[in-house]
């Protein structure tokens, strides 16, 4: 027996329920609310579940129609809830991204006019804004030296600041107790046997390391920090920087050394500055020389910076001693080479006419901002 009234009543209830549930899903504000709604509206104890259970009271054909209607309504609601969940997930992701985003636009706009935050030393910014930092004069000098040598065909090598006695002295033709070791006041580290590990006193150990790891032809420069047990004064710092040069190839002569020093000098200082070599002594080069450049401050006329000589001593150089080649296993019959090394801080001092090198360490912004 078919009871039409209750069947249409069930359909009405279903339609009403579906509309209400659909609305609830659409306005669910977060994933948690959505999950609760799904359980109360679609779960076993839901209104939908009740309707399902009522089916048994209907005649079989009505039961099938009504059952299909309920299933269809459920399927639509499940799909709706899924769509809502996807929306909510996307919104949560977007919110998280927005929260993680660093807003740099304000800082950038503060530097309006030249494209960066703060103001430059050369002015041109709002005086109320903070200064923009820049590289220290010594670092700028090192970079410029590297660029100059790279443009002359050298590549850049590096070595450790804590060295062994072998690299800093012995391989450079200074066996233990060699008197020339006294040329460098050495700071030793309390590591291993006494006086075997030290802070490198020059960049020359990088020569040895390079010749150990590379085969000629070698054309390298090695800039880096060096340490000596010196009391700081106007022209010395206990922690300073050198740049080392090393060339090893067939048929390299003293003329190549002199020519390279001169080419570097004009490339770095300009055409008005020249170089000269004066005989000197280093255990790892033979013959050895000191190289000097015409004083860039007075142009060679004589001034306080160059002690009125017109020349400034920059560093040492010479032809690689065969004993050094022997220490690294390079055949001195086949190859020859030259090396040079000079102080980067000294060069910076000369270039800007700085009376006292210690100023480089003061971190006084009035000084640093000038460069
Ligand atoms: N290493 C030497 C010094 O510190 C300079 C030098 C380098 C001399 C290379 C000759 C060759 O005084």
């Amino acid at each position: 027996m078919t009871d039409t009234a209750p069947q249409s009543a069930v359909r009405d209830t279903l339609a009403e329920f579906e509309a209400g549930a659909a609305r609830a899903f659409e306005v669910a504000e977060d994933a948690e609310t959505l999950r609760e709604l799904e359980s109360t509206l679609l779960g076993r104890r839901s209104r939908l579940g009740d309707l399902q259970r009522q089916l048994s009271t209907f005649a079989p054909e009505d039961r099938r129609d009504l059952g299909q209607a309920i299933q269809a309504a459920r399927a639509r609601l499940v799909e709706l809830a899924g769509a809502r969940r996807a929306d909510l997930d996307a919104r949560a992701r977007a919110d998280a991204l927005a929260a993680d985003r660093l807003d740099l636009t304000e800082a950038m706009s503060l530097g309006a006019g030249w494209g960066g935050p703060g103001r430059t030393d050369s002015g041109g910014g709002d005086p109320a804004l903070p200064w923009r930092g820049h590289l220290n004069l010594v670092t700028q000098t090192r970079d410029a030296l590297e660029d100059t040598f790279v443009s002359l065909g050298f590549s850049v090598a590096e070595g450790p600041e804590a060295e062994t006695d072998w690299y800093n002295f012995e391989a450079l033709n200074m066996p233990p107790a060699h008197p020339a070791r006294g040329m460098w006041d050495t700071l030793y580290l309390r590591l291993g046997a006494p006086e075997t590990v030290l802070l490198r006193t020059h960049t020359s150990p990088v020569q040895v390391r390079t010749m150990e790891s590379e085969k000629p032809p070698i054309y390298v420069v090695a800039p880096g920090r060096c340490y000596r047990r010196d009391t700081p004064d106007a022209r010395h710092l206990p922690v300073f920087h050198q740049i080392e040069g090393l060339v090893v190839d067939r048929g390299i002569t003293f003329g190549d050394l002199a020519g390279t020093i001169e080419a570097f000098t004009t490339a770095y200082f300009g055409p008005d500055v020249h170089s000269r070599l004066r005989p000197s002594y280093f255990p790892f080069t033979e013959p050895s020389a000191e190289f000097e450049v015409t004083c860039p401050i007075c142009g060679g006329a004589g001034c306080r910076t160059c002690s009125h000589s017109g020349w400034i001593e920059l560093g040492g150089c010479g032809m690689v001693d065969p004993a050094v080649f022997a220490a690294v296993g390079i055949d001195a019959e086949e190859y020859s080479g030259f090396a040079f090394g000079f102080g980067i801080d000294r060069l910076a001092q000369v270039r800007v006419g700085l009376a006292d090198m210690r100023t480089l360490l003061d971190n006084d912004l009035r000084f640093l901002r000038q460069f």
Side-chain angles (χ1 to χ4, degrees), residues 300-329:
C303 68
R304 246 181 35 173
T305 307
C306 61
S307 314
H308 304 284
S309 70
W311 293 91
I312 301 255
E313 189 204 315
L314 275 192
C317 60
M319 302 304 290
V320 179
D321 194 292
V324 177
F325 281 144
V328 295

Side-chain angles (χ1 to χ4, degrees), residues 184 201-202 204 207 228 242 244 282 284-285 316-318 339-341:
W184 298 273
T201 59
H202 50 181
S204 297
Q207 282 186 39
R228 288 186 198 172
Q242 280 191 341
E244 189 87 6
F282 296 98
F284 33 92
T285 46
C317 60
F340 57 84

